[in-house]
Amino acid sequence: MSGAQLERIAPGEVVAVAAVCANGVIGADGDQPWSHPDDFARFKALTRGHVMVMGRKTYDAIGRALPGRHTIVLTRDRDWRPHGKGAETVRTVADLPAALELAGRDWPEAGIAVLGGGQIYRLAMPVTTRLEITEVEAELPGDTTFPAIDPDQWAETARTAADGFSWVTYRRR
């Protein structure tokens, strides 16, 4: 499905939220290679009340549905079932268009937060309207990367520096 077709399905603002190392790494062996308590608090604030769209591996890494949010998991594995606390509230779909349609139908007032992994970010990039990126100064090893942020398509609109990382907001041009 083309970016234009996805845009017609997307119900409103779509925000990608990610912690990205200096070398583009966002994941290592099914987990995040980096974490910080202040960044986790920011993540909670950015996603509370939103529909979270993520891949199966990202859900498995989190291990449960997060309170105060709606969860849609993209998976092609028809046998996979959500697990952990709140699993009964998790919805599964086979692709991004189905996730966008479900979010718009069942939670039309909620924004959409895309949480990864790498394939999901790449699929959602054509309809993503805002990036909330934690830029980690370290180059950590990993096997999953965030797509390159093209300065012709994205404008940095806010930056807050911290010790070893920065919170950066980008808006689509």
Side-chain angles (χ1 to χ4, degrees), residues 104-167:
R105 183 187 70 229
D106 289 5
W107 306 288
E109 302 303 316
I112 295 174
V114 178
L115 303 184
Q119 289 179 349
I120 306 304
Y121 287 125
R122 283 171 181 77
L123 288 171
M125 198 57 82
V127 295
T128 301
T129 56
R130 190 174 90 226
L131 305 174
E132 291 292 347
I133 304 297
T134 301
E135 290 183 352
V136 180
E137 293 173 11
E139 291 194 11
L140 299 175
D143 52 19
T144 306
T145 59
F146 192 81
I149 299 171
D150 181 349
D152 290 336
Q153 293 190 21
W154 297 98
E156 182 179 317
T157 59
R159 177 178 288 269
T160 303
D163 187 21
F165 64 94
S166 296
W167 291 316

Side-chain angles (χ1 to χ4, degrees), residues 18-93:
V20 183
C21 295
N23 56 351
V25 167
I26 58 171
D29 296 323
D31 204 358
Q32 277 187 250
W34 182 88
S35 66
H36 189 282
D38 291 342
D39 193 48
F40 184 68
R42 180 173 181 264
F43 169 83
K44 285 171 56 174
L46 286 170
T47 60
R48 187 164 297 278
H50 281 69
V51 178
M52 298 190 317
V53 174
M54 66 187 81
R56 177 191 52 80
K57 291 178 185 176
T58 300
Y59 181 88
D60 287 342
I62 294 170
R64 63 185 174 95
L66 298 176
R69 301 154 187 92
H70 310 286
T71 304
I72 300 174
V73 176
L74 278 72
T75 180
R76 291 181 296 261
D77 182 349
R78 294 178 188 262
D79 295 328
W80 183 86
R81 297 291 177 260
H83 49 81
K85 187 175 181 179
E88 68 281 356
T89 66
V90 175
R91 308 279 192 80
T92 60
V93 295

